[in-house]
Amino acid sequence: MPNVLSHEISLTPAFHDLDPMDVVWHGNYLRYFEQARSALLQRIDYDYPQMRDSGYAWPIVDLRVKYVRPLRYGQTVMVRATFVEWENRLKIAYEVRDAATGERLTRGHSIQVAVDLRTQEMQYASPPVLLQRLGVTP
């Protein structure tokens, strides 16, 4: 079991994040997921620069979003990123909640796989460096 399973950030959508219907444009939710994912990876000292330095790229190969309720300008929300899988791929679940009420607004997940930067080959098991950072070294 990893030492750090999840991390939560707070954010407030900016005016420039809105679509013509005055709600957050659907593509910006992915940016919010990315901010939470990066904060989670920083907690284990394995954010994108450390991934690169360890010899691996971690491209996203699958991304899902379920829009439950719209986010609005000025609404403070909490975005939680949680490690779900890490043995053969890196799956991170996301949940966006209204900060004041706790109401779920959006959920989703991303799946990343390790690619050896030297050979450009996809790895079918997570490299030891990820498992070490998570504290689950076999």
PDB file of all heavy atoms in Angstrom, residues 15-17 19 25 30-31 34 37 45-46 55 57 63 68 79 82-83 86 91 102 105 115 122 128 133:
ATOM      1  N   PHE A  15     -12.571  33.421 -15.122  1.00  0.00           N
ATOM      2  CA  PHE A  15     -13.497  33.849 -16.171  1.00  0.00           C
ATOM      3  C   PHE A  15     -13.104  33.279 -17.536  1.00  0.00           C
ATOM      4  O   PHE A  15     -13.949  32.843 -18.310  1.00  0.00           O
ATOM      5  CB  PHE A  15     -13.555  35.379 -16.217  1.00  0.00           C
ATOM      6  CG  PHE A  15     -14.437  35.898 -17.305  1.00  0.00           C
ATOM      7  CD1 PHE A  15     -15.825  35.854 -17.189  1.00  0.00           C
ATOM      8  CD2 PHE A  15     -13.883  36.427 -18.460  1.00  0.00           C
ATOM      9  CE1 PHE A  15     -16.641  36.319 -18.207  1.00  0.00           C
ATOM     10  CE2 PHE A  15     -14.693  36.901 -19.484  1.00  0.00           C
ATOM     11  CZ  PHE A  15     -16.080  36.847 -19.353  1.00  0.00           C
ATOM     12  N   HIS A  16     -11.799  33.237 -17.809  1.00  0.00           N
ATOM     13  CA  HIS A  16     -11.348  32.752 -19.125  1.00  0.00           C
ATOM     14  C   HIS A  16     -11.535  31.244 -19.290  1.00  0.00           C
ATOM     15  O   HIS A  16     -11.324  30.709 -20.372  1.00  0.00           O
ATOM     16  CB  HIS A  16      -9.895  33.158 -19.408  1.00  0.00           C
ATOM     17  CG  HIS A  16      -8.910  32.572 -18.460  1.00  0.00           C
ATOM     18  ND1 HIS A  16      -8.439  33.266 -17.373  1.00  0.00           N
ATOM     19  CD2 HIS A  16      -8.308  31.373 -18.428  1.00  0.00           C
ATOM     20  CE1 HIS A  16      -7.581  32.519 -16.716  1.00  0.00           C
ATOM     21  NE2 HIS A  16      -7.486  31.359 -17.336  1.00  0.00           N
ATOM     22  N   ASP A  17     -11.950  30.527 -18.242  1.00  0.00           N
ATOM     23  CA  ASP A  17     -12.230  29.092 -18.326  1.00  0.00           C
ATOM     24  C   ASP A  17     -13.660  28.794 -18.785  1.00  0.00           C
ATOM     25  O   ASP A  17     -14.012  27.633 -18.998  1.00  0.00           O
ATOM     26  CB  ASP A  17     -12.019  28.415 -16.968  1.00  0.00           C
ATOM     27  CG  ASP A  17     -10.551  28.307 -16.584  1.00  0.00           C
ATOM     28  OD1 ASP A  17      -9.682  28.520 -17.457  1.00  0.00           O
ATOM     29  OD2 ASP A  17     -10.281  28.002 -15.413  1.00  0.00           O
ATOM     30  N   ASP A  19     -17.277  28.794 -21.018  1.00  0.00           N
ATOM     31  CA  ASP A  19     -17.741  28.695 -22.392  1.00  0.00           C
ATOM     32  C   ASP A  19     -18.877  29.700 -22.602  1.00  0.00           C
ATOM     33  O   ASP A  19     -19.236  30.431 -21.669  1.00  0.00           O
ATOM     34  CB  ASP A  19     -18.150  27.255 -22.727  1.00  0.00           C
ATOM     35  CG  ASP A  19     -19.397  26.769 -21.992  1.00  0.00           C
ATOM     36  OD1 ASP A  19     -20.136  27.585 -21.384  1.00  0.00           O
ATOM     37  OD2 ASP A  19     -19.647  25.552 -22.015  1.00  0.00           O
ATOM     38  N   TRP A  25     -15.793  25.399 -19.554  1.00  0.00           N
ATOM     39  CA  TRP A  25     -15.697  24.631 -20.791  1.00  0.00           C
ATOM     40  C   TRP A  25     -15.171  23.237 -20.469  1.00  0.00           C
ATOM     41  O   TRP A  25     -14.249  23.074 -19.654  1.00  0.00           O
ATOM     42  CB  TRP A  25     -14.772  25.358 -21.765  1.00  0.00           C
ATOM     43  CG  TRP A  25     -14.504  24.612 -23.032  1.00  0.00           C
ATOM     44  CD1 TRP A  25     -15.397  24.319 -24.012  1.00  0.00           C
ATOM     45  CD2 TRP A  25     -13.260  24.065 -23.452  1.00  0.00           C
ATOM     46  NE1 TRP A  25     -14.783  23.621 -25.025  1.00  0.00           N
ATOM     47  CE2 TRP A  25     -13.453  23.451 -24.702  1.00  0.00           C
ATOM     48  CE3 TRP A  25     -11.985  24.039 -22.895  1.00  0.00           C
ATOM     49  CZ2 TRP A  25     -12.444  22.811 -25.403  1.00  0.00           C
ATOM     50  CZ3 TRP A  25     -10.978  23.404 -23.597  1.00  0.00           C
ATOM     51  CH2 TRP A  25     -11.215  22.807 -24.837  1.00  0.00           C
ATOM     52  N   LEU A  30      -9.917  18.783 -17.727  1.00  0.00           N
ATOM     53  CA  LEU A  30      -8.693  17.997 -17.870  1.00  0.00           C
ATOM     54  C   LEU A  30      -7.486  18.754 -17.323  1.00  0.00           C
ATOM     55  O   LEU A  30      -6.585  18.161 -16.735  1.00  0.00           O
ATOM     56  CB  LEU A  30      -8.471  17.611 -19.328  1.00  0.00           C
ATOM     57  CG  LEU A  30      -9.629  16.860 -19.991  1.00  0.00           C
ATOM     58  CD1 LEU A  30      -9.300  16.528 -21.426  1.00  0.00           C
ATOM     59  CD2 LEU A  30     -10.009  15.634 -19.203  1.00  0.00           C
ATOM     60  N   ARG A  31      -7.496  20.052 -17.498  1.00  0.00           N
ATOM     61  CA  ARG A  31      -6.418  20.875 -16.939  1.00  0.00           C
ATOM     62  C   ARG A  31      -6.449  20.814 -15.415  1.00  0.00           C
ATOM     63  O   ARG A  31      -5.411  20.743 -14.758  1.00  0.00           O
ATOM     64  CB  ARG A  31      -6.560  22.314 -17.439  1.00  0.00           C
ATOM     65  CG  ARG A  31      -5.353  23.172 -17.178  1.00  0.00           C
ATOM     66  CD  ARG A  31      -5.340  24.432 -18.036  1.00  0.00           C
ATOM     67  NE  ARG A  31      -6.602  25.107 -18.166  1.00  0.00           N
ATOM     68  CZ  ARG A  31      -7.037  26.040 -17.297  1.00  0.00           C
ATOM     69  NH1 ARG A  31      -6.317  26.373 -16.263  1.00  0.00           N
ATOM     70  NH2 ARG A  31      -8.209  26.621 -17.510  1.00  0.00           N
ATOM     71  N   GLU A  34      -5.048  17.586 -14.342  1.00  0.00           N
ATOM     72  CA  GLU A  34      -3.592  17.625 -14.462  1.00  0.00           C
ATOM     73  C   GLU A  34      -2.951  18.347 -13.281  1.00  0.00           C
ATOM     74  O   GLU A  34      -1.922  17.911 -12.762  1.00  0.00           O
ATOM     75  CB  GLU A  34      -3.196  18.319 -15.779  1.00  0.00           C
ATOM     76  CG  GLU A  34      -1.707  18.553 -15.945  1.00  0.00           C
ATOM     77  CD  GLU A  34      -0.910  17.281 -16.102  1.00  0.00           C
ATOM     78  OE1 GLU A  34      -1.479  16.240 -16.486  1.00  0.00           O
ATOM     79  OE2 GLU A  34       0.306  17.321 -15.822  1.00  0.00           O
ATOM     80  N   ARG A  37      -3.099  15.891 -10.455  1.00  0.00           N
ATOM     81  CA  ARG A  37      -2.181  14.768 -10.694  1.00  0.00           C
ATOM     82  C   ARG A  37      -0.745  15.192 -10.429  1.00  0.00           C
ATOM     83  O   ARG A  37       0.014  14.483  -9.771  1.00  0.00           O
ATOM     84  CB  ARG A  37      -2.324  14.255 -12.125  1.00  0.00           C
ATOM     85  CG  ARG A  37      -1.338  13.148 -12.460  1.00  0.00           C
ATOM     86  CD  ARG A  37      -1.511  12.510 -13.830  1.00  0.00           C
ATOM     87  NE  ARG A  37      -1.492  13.444 -14.921  1.00  0.00           N
ATOM     88  CZ  ARG A  37      -2.550  13.730 -15.697  1.00  0.00           C
ATOM     89  NH1 ARG A  37      -3.709  13.143 -15.486  1.00  0.00           N
ATOM     90  NH2 ARG A  37      -2.445  14.597 -16.680  1.00  0.00           N
ATOM     91  N   ASP A  45       7.632  12.756  -4.938  1.00  0.00           N
ATOM     92  CA  ASP A  45       8.862  13.179  -5.608  1.00  0.00           C
ATOM     93  C   ASP A  45       9.065  12.434  -6.928  1.00  0.00           C
ATOM     94  O   ASP A  45      10.157  11.971  -7.238  1.00  0.00           O
ATOM     95  CB  ASP A  45      10.070  13.001  -4.688  1.00  0.00           C
ATOM     96  CG  ASP A  45      11.297  13.739  -5.208  1.00  0.00           C
ATOM     97  OD1 ASP A  45      11.134  14.781  -5.869  1.00  0.00           O
ATOM     98  OD2 ASP A  45      12.425  13.255  -4.954  1.00  0.00           O
ATOM     99  N   TYR A  46       7.969  12.302  -7.691  1.00  0.00           N
ATOM    100  CA  TYR A  46       8.058  11.641  -8.996  1.00  0.00           C
ATOM    101  C   TYR A  46       7.158  12.358 -10.000  1.00  0.00           C
ATOM    102  O   TYR A  46       6.390  11.750 -10.723  1.00  0.00           O
ATOM    103  CB  TYR A  46       7.703  10.159  -8.885  1.00  0.00           C
ATOM    104  CG  TYR A  46       8.218   9.333 -10.053  1.00  0.00           C
ATOM    105  CD1 TYR A  46       9.572   9.294 -10.360  1.00  0.00           C
ATOM    106  CD2 TYR A  46       7.347   8.599 -10.836  1.00  0.00           C
ATOM    107  CE1 TYR A  46      10.039   8.549 -11.425  1.00  0.00           C
ATOM    108  CE2 TYR A  46       7.806   7.843 -11.906  1.00  0.00           C
ATOM    109  CZ  TYR A  46       9.152   7.820 -12.195  1.00  0.00           C
ATOM    110  OH  TYR A  46       9.623   7.078 -13.252  1.00  0.00           O
ATOM    111  N   GLY A  55      14.488   8.039 -16.611  1.00  0.00           N
ATOM    112  CA  GLY A  55      14.593   7.295 -17.855  1.00  0.00           C
ATOM    113  C   GLY A  55      13.268   6.851 -18.451  1.00  0.00           C
ATOM    114  O   GLY A  55      13.255   6.051 -19.387  1.00  0.00           O
ATOM    115  N   ALA A  57       9.216   7.994 -19.807  1.00  0.00           N
ATOM    116  CA  ALA A  57       8.106   8.886 -20.113  1.00  0.00           C
ATOM    117  C   ALA A  57       6.854   8.145 -19.662  1.00  0.00           C
ATOM    118  O   ALA A  57       6.837   6.919 -19.616  1.00  0.00           O
ATOM    119  CB  ALA A  57       8.039   9.173 -21.609  1.00  0.00           C
ATOM    120  N   LEU A  63      -8.181   8.295 -20.952  1.00  0.00           N
ATOM    121  CA  LEU A  63      -8.648   9.372 -20.093  1.00  0.00           C
ATOM    122  C   LEU A  63     -10.167   9.392 -20.149  1.00  0.00           C
ATOM    123  O   LEU A  63     -10.746   9.381 -21.238  1.00  0.00           O
ATOM    124  CB  LEU A  63      -8.083  10.704 -20.591  1.00  0.00           C
ATOM    125  CG  LEU A  63      -8.433  11.957 -19.827  1.00  0.00           C
ATOM    126  CD1 LEU A  63      -7.874  11.911 -18.411  1.00  0.00           C
ATOM    127  CD2 LEU A  63      -7.887  13.176 -20.549  1.00  0.00           C
ATOM    128  N   VAL A  68     -20.930  15.550 -13.969  1.00  0.00           N
ATOM    129  CA  VAL A  68     -22.139  15.373 -13.163  1.00  0.00           C
ATOM    130  C   VAL A  68     -22.906  16.686 -13.060  1.00  0.00           C
ATOM    131  O   VAL A  68     -24.103  16.742 -13.321  1.00  0.00           O
ATOM    132  CB  VAL A  68     -21.788  14.821 -11.755  1.00  0.00           C
ATOM    133  CG1 VAL A  68     -23.033  14.627 -10.923  1.00  0.00           C
ATOM    134  CG2 VAL A  68     -21.001  13.508 -11.877  1.00  0.00           C
ATOM    135  N   VAL A  79     -10.291  19.383  -5.920  1.00  0.00           N
ATOM    136  CA  VAL A  79      -9.988  18.354  -6.912  1.00  0.00           C
ATOM    137  C   VAL A  79      -9.063  17.349  -6.243  1.00  0.00           C
ATOM    138  O   VAL A  79      -7.948  17.698  -5.843  1.00  0.00           O
ATOM    139  CB  VAL A  79      -9.324  18.949  -8.174  1.00  0.00           C
ATOM    140  CG1 VAL A  79      -9.112  17.853  -9.215  1.00  0.00           C
ATOM    141  CG2 VAL A  79     -10.146  20.095  -8.740  1.00  0.00           C
ATOM    142  N   THR A  82      -6.233  10.389  -6.811  1.00  0.00           N
ATOM    143  CA  THR A  82      -5.964   9.209  -5.998  1.00  0.00           C
ATOM    144  C   THR A  82      -5.318   8.115  -6.836  1.00  0.00           C
ATOM    145  O   THR A  82      -5.834   7.774  -7.905  1.00  0.00           O
ATOM    146  CB  THR A  82      -7.281   8.660  -5.388  1.00  0.00           C
ATOM    147  OG1 THR A  82      -7.910   9.698  -4.640  1.00  0.00           O
ATOM    148  CG2 THR A  82      -7.026   7.469  -4.497  1.00  0.00           C
ATOM    149  N   PHE A  83      -4.204   7.553  -6.341  1.00  0.00           N
ATOM    150  CA  PHE A  83      -3.605   6.392  -6.999  1.00  0.00           C
ATOM    151  C   PHE A  83      -4.565   5.216  -6.866  1.00  0.00           C
ATOM    152  O   PHE A  83      -4.999   4.887  -5.766  1.00  0.00           O
ATOM    153  CB  PHE A  83      -2.280   6.004  -6.346  1.00  0.00           C
ATOM    154  CG  PHE A  83      -1.167   6.979  -6.593  1.00  0.00           C
ATOM    155  CD1 PHE A  83      -0.622   7.687  -5.548  1.00  0.00           C
ATOM    156  CD2 PHE A  83      -0.649   7.164  -7.868  1.00  0.00           C
ATOM    157  CE1 PHE A  83       0.420   8.581  -5.758  1.00  0.00           C
ATOM    158  CE2 PHE A  83       0.378   8.059  -8.092  1.00  0.00           C
ATOM    159  CZ  PHE A  83       0.914   8.763  -7.037  1.00  0.00           C
ATOM    160  N   TRP A  86      -0.935   0.753  -9.828  1.00  0.00           N
ATOM    161  CA  TRP A  86       0.449   1.152 -10.051  1.00  0.00           C
ATOM    162  C   TRP A  86       1.347  -0.013 -10.442  1.00  0.00           C
ATOM    163  O   TRP A  86       2.485   0.184 -10.795  1.00  0.00           O
ATOM    164  CB  TRP A  86       1.024   1.828  -8.793  1.00  0.00           C
ATOM    165  CG  TRP A  86       0.805   1.031  -7.548  1.00  0.00           C
ATOM    166  CD1 TRP A  86       1.567  -0.012  -7.092  1.00  0.00           C
ATOM    167  CD2 TRP A  86      -0.258   1.176  -6.624  1.00  0.00           C
ATOM    168  NE1 TRP A  86       1.033  -0.510  -5.934  1.00  0.00           N
ATOM    169  CE2 TRP A  86      -0.102   0.206  -5.614  1.00  0.00           C
ATOM    170  CE3 TRP A  86      -1.339   2.040  -6.538  1.00  0.00           C
ATOM    171  CZ2 TRP A  86      -0.968   0.068  -4.547  1.00  0.00           C
ATOM    172  CZ3 TRP A  86      -2.205   1.905  -5.472  1.00  0.00           C
ATOM    173  CH2 TRP A  86      -2.012   0.934  -4.491  1.00  0.00           C
ATOM    174  N   LYS A  91      -2.775   4.304 -12.820  1.00  0.00           N
ATOM    175  CA  LYS A  91      -4.155   4.770 -12.954  1.00  0.00           C
ATOM    176  C   LYS A  91      -4.437   5.701 -11.785  1.00  0.00           C
ATOM    177  O   LYS A  91      -4.233   5.343 -10.626  1.00  0.00           O
ATOM    178  CB  LYS A  91      -5.147   3.608 -12.952  1.00  0.00           C
ATOM    179  CG  LYS A  91      -6.586   4.061 -13.147  1.00  0.00           C
ATOM    180  CD  LYS A  91      -7.531   2.864 -13.248  1.00  0.00           C
ATOM    181  CE  LYS A  91      -8.956   3.318 -13.498  1.00  0.00           C
ATOM    182  NZ  LYS A  91      -9.879   2.155 -13.579  1.00  0.00           N
ATOM    183  N   GLY A 102     -19.641  20.053  -0.602  1.00  0.00           N
ATOM    184  CA  GLY A 102     -19.146  18.692  -0.757  1.00  0.00           C
ATOM    185  C   GLY A 102     -19.814  17.933  -1.898  1.00  0.00           C
ATOM    186  O   GLY A 102     -19.505  16.771  -2.139  1.00  0.00           O
ATOM    187  N   LEU A 105     -19.190  17.054  -8.412  1.00  0.00           N
ATOM    188  CA  LEU A 105     -19.464  17.762  -9.649  1.00  0.00           C
ATOM    189  C   LEU A 105     -18.946  17.005 -10.875  1.00  0.00           C
ATOM    190  O   LEU A 105     -19.557  17.062 -11.937  1.00  0.00           O
ATOM    191  CB  LEU A 105     -18.842  19.153  -9.603  1.00  0.00           C
ATOM    192  CG  LEU A 105     -19.272  20.017  -8.405  1.00  0.00           C
ATOM    193  CD1 LEU A 105     -18.424  21.273  -8.324  1.00  0.00           C
ATOM    194  CD2 LEU A 105     -20.742  20.351  -8.495  1.00  0.00           C
ATOM    195  N   VAL A 115       7.205   4.287 -20.607  1.00  0.00           N
ATOM    196  CA  VAL A 115       7.916   4.065 -21.862  1.00  0.00           C
ATOM    197  C   VAL A 115       9.387   4.371 -21.605  1.00  0.00           C
ATOM    198  O   VAL A 115       9.719   5.456 -21.117  1.00  0.00           O
ATOM    199  CB  VAL A 115       7.369   4.975 -22.993  1.00  0.00           C
ATOM    200  CG1 VAL A 115       8.212   4.844 -24.251  1.00  0.00           C
ATOM    201  CG2 VAL A 115       5.911   4.640 -23.281  1.00  0.00           C
ATOM    202  N   MET A 122       7.333   0.409 -24.675  1.00  0.00           N
ATOM    203  CA  MET A 122       6.402   0.432 -23.556  1.00  0.00           C
ATOM    204  C   MET A 122       6.763  -0.678 -22.582  1.00  0.00           C
ATOM    205  O   MET A 122       7.113  -1.787 -22.994  1.00  0.00           O
ATOM    206  CB  MET A 122       4.966   0.244 -24.050  1.00  0.00           C
ATOM    207  CG  MET A 122       3.947   0.402 -22.936  1.00  0.00           C
ATOM    208  SD  MET A 122       2.252   0.315 -23.539  1.00  0.00           S
ATOM    209  CE  MET A 122       1.991  -1.443 -23.426  1.00  0.00           C
ATOM    210  N   PRO A 128      10.773  -0.159 -11.280  1.00  0.00           N
ATOM    211  CA  PRO A 128      11.022  -0.151  -9.828  1.00  0.00           C
ATOM    212  C   PRO A 128      11.024   1.237  -9.209  1.00  0.00           C
ATOM    213  O   PRO A 128      10.618   1.408  -8.069  1.00  0.00           O
ATOM    214  CB  PRO A 128      12.395  -0.819  -9.704  1.00  0.00           C
ATOM    215  CG  PRO A 128      12.522  -1.666 -10.927  1.00  0.00           C
ATOM    216  CD  PRO A 128      11.770  -0.928 -12.004  1.00  0.00           C
ATOM    217  N   ARG A 133       9.059   4.954  -5.018  1.00  0.00           N
ATOM    218  CA  ARG A 133       8.494   6.246  -4.627  1.00  0.00           C
ATOM    219  C   ARG A 133       7.164   6.074  -3.908  1.00  0.00           C
ATOM    220  O   ARG A 133       6.817   6.859  -3.042  1.00  0.00           O
ATOM    221  CB  ARG A 133       8.319   7.160  -5.837  1.00  0.00           C
ATOM    222  CG  ARG A 133       9.615   7.469  -6.567  1.00  0.00           C
ATOM    223  CD  ARG A 133      10.571   8.342  -5.742  1.00  0.00           C
ATOM    224  NE  ARG A 133      11.856   8.462  -6.346  1.00  0.00           N
ATOM    225  CZ  ARG A 133      12.276   9.485  -7.064  1.00  0.00           C
ATOM    226  NH1 ARG A 133      11.491  10.511  -7.269  1.00  0.00           N
ATOM    227  NH2 ARG A 133      13.501   9.488  -7.559  1.00  0.00           N
TER     228      ARG A 133
END
